[in-house]
Amino acid sequence: MEWLTETKIPIGRYARRAIDWLQDTAAPFFDWLSWVLELLIDNILWLLQTPHPLVVIAGFVALAWIVQRSWQAPLLVLLGFLFILNQGYWEETTESLTLVLSSCVVCMGLGVPIGIAAAHRPRLYGAMRPVLDLMQTLPAFVYLIPAIIFFGIGMVPGLIATVIFVLPAPIRLTQLGVASTPKALLEAAEAFGATPRQRLFKVELPWALPQIMTGLNQTIMLSLSMVVIAALVGADGLGVPVVRALNSVNTALGFESGFIIVVVAVMLDRMLRMGRK
């Protein structure tokens, strides 16, 4: 077996050369992208932190009522946010929500159109599947290395790593929803003279809406799972006290901040549960 190990395939060296080439040739693009993402993050953070916390909580409670049309989910959201205020994690929670909402905007804005294109072109989806598998199975820590090289330290590299890890979920679920549209509905739309655009917006997307909403739910849950990893590259939020607790072996702080992340995840999940009915 020595002949097999003598000549090592230089995967790491090729990856380093590719990153160096991108850093040299695409620096203006990465600067522009960093500026756009920082603008998005700053605006969402301002929207969550400028008003009084009770005003923000009232907005989330109203949103839960609009989506669910029942009193259980708004009550859960209200109690969850009041518990967060009681524990003194409001600022960290808004920072984590900023990362989650920013990743939702980017992932759904990219994932839904790509999923629609993949549903209409099976060969394209077949070529994309290995890439999507790689994006989901490659350890998320690996994404932090080029993110730091291209974007430095802060919220932006954390957002980039989160988007790369989360993006396959909305692509796969949108493709599944659109591709599963019954042929009878499509044939009926064609019989009535519907254009491809009309078939998409009046037949395929309404049929795929539950799957798209599930993709949004998965985007939120996976983004929350990245808050601790994003904290390692300087992203603010609930991941910071978790990392601090790990470094100092502080069990109380670790369980306290970890439980807040669980509360946020449960609230957001209950708010979107109607999309899966």
Side-chain angles (χ1 to χ4, degrees):
M1 296 296 292
E2 294 182 357
W3 62 272
L4 185 61
T5 58
E6 285 179 355
T7 306
K8 180 180 177 180
I9 301 175
I11 296 177
R13 187 171 63 199
Y14 291 154
R16 184 184 61 189
R17 289 180 179 177
I19 291 176
D20 291 342
W21 179 82
L22 286 173
Q23 190 177 14
D24 294 336
T25 58
F29 169 75
F30 290 119
D31 291 340
W32 172 82
L33 182 61
S34 178
W35 176 79
V36 171
L37 295 179
E38 284 181 358
L39 185 64
L40 175 65
I41 292 171
D42 291 342
N43 287 333
I44 296 178
L45 193 60
W46 178 88
L47 189 64
L48 292 177
Q49 290 189 343
T50 302
H52 192 275
L54 294 180
V55 175
V56 178
I57 293 173
F60 276 97
V61 171
L63 179 61
W65 169 259
I66 292 172
V67 174
Q68 294 291 338
R69 294 295 179 180
S70 65
W71 61 269
Q72 291 92 341
L75 179 61
L76 177 65
V77 172
L78 176 61
L79 294 177
F81 275 119
L82 292 179
F83 175 76
I84 291 170
L85 281 176
N86 172 263
Q87 296 296 304
Y89 282 88
W90 177 254
E91 183 177 354
E92 292 84 354
T93 300
T94 55
E95 291 167 347
S96 291
L97 285 174
T98 298
L99 180 63
V100 171
L101 294 176
S102 301
S103 65
C104 285
V105 171
V106 177
C107 290
M108 298 305 291
L110 295 175
V112 172
I114 294 175
I116 293 172
H120 291 161
R121 299 168 179 82
R123 290 185 178 179
L124 173 62
Y125 184 62
M128 289 171 52
R129 287 180 63 182
V131 179
L132 298 177
D133 293 338
L134 178 65
M135 292 169 65
Q136 285 189 306
T137 56
L138 196 66
F141 290 95
V142 178
Y143 301 135
L144 299 180
I145 301 172
I148 293 174
I149 294 174
F150 295 140
F151 302 101
I153 300 296
M155 292 285 282
V156 173
L159 176 59
I160 293 295
T162 301
V163 168
I164 296 175
F165 179 72
V166 175
L167 186 58
I171 292 177
R172 290 182 188 275
L173 289 166
T174 301
Q175 187 275 337
L176 177 63
V178 174
S180 63
T181 305
K183 291 184 179 180
L185 289 178
L186 297 175
E187 292 173 355
E190 292 179 359
F192 282 99
T195 63
R197 181 183 296 271
Q198 290 173 331
R199 290 201 307 270
L200 174 63
F201 286 99
K202 295 185 177 182
V203 178
E204 293 176 332
L205 287 182
W207 180 269
L209 184 59
Q211 295 289 347
I212 294 175
M213 290 299 296
T214 303
L216 175 61
N217 181 276
Q218 290 297 306
T219 298
I220 292 175
M221 296 299 105
L222 292 172
S223 299
L224 274 174
S225 70
M226 290 288 291
V227 296
V228 177
I229 297 177
L232 297 177
V233 293
D236 299 323
L238 293 170
V240 175
V242 175
V243 174
R244 190 183 305 125
L246 178 64
N247 292 333
S248 60
V249 197
N250 190 331
T251 305
L253 179 62
F255 274 91
E256 188 177 86
S257 53
F259 192 73
I260 296 296
I261 296 175
V262 173
V263 170
V264 174
V266 170
M267 289 191 303
L268 296 178
D269 178 71
R270 295 302 184 269
M271 289 176 63
L272 295 174
R273 177 155 291 195
M274 176 172 281
R276 300 198 297 268
K277 291 182 179 179

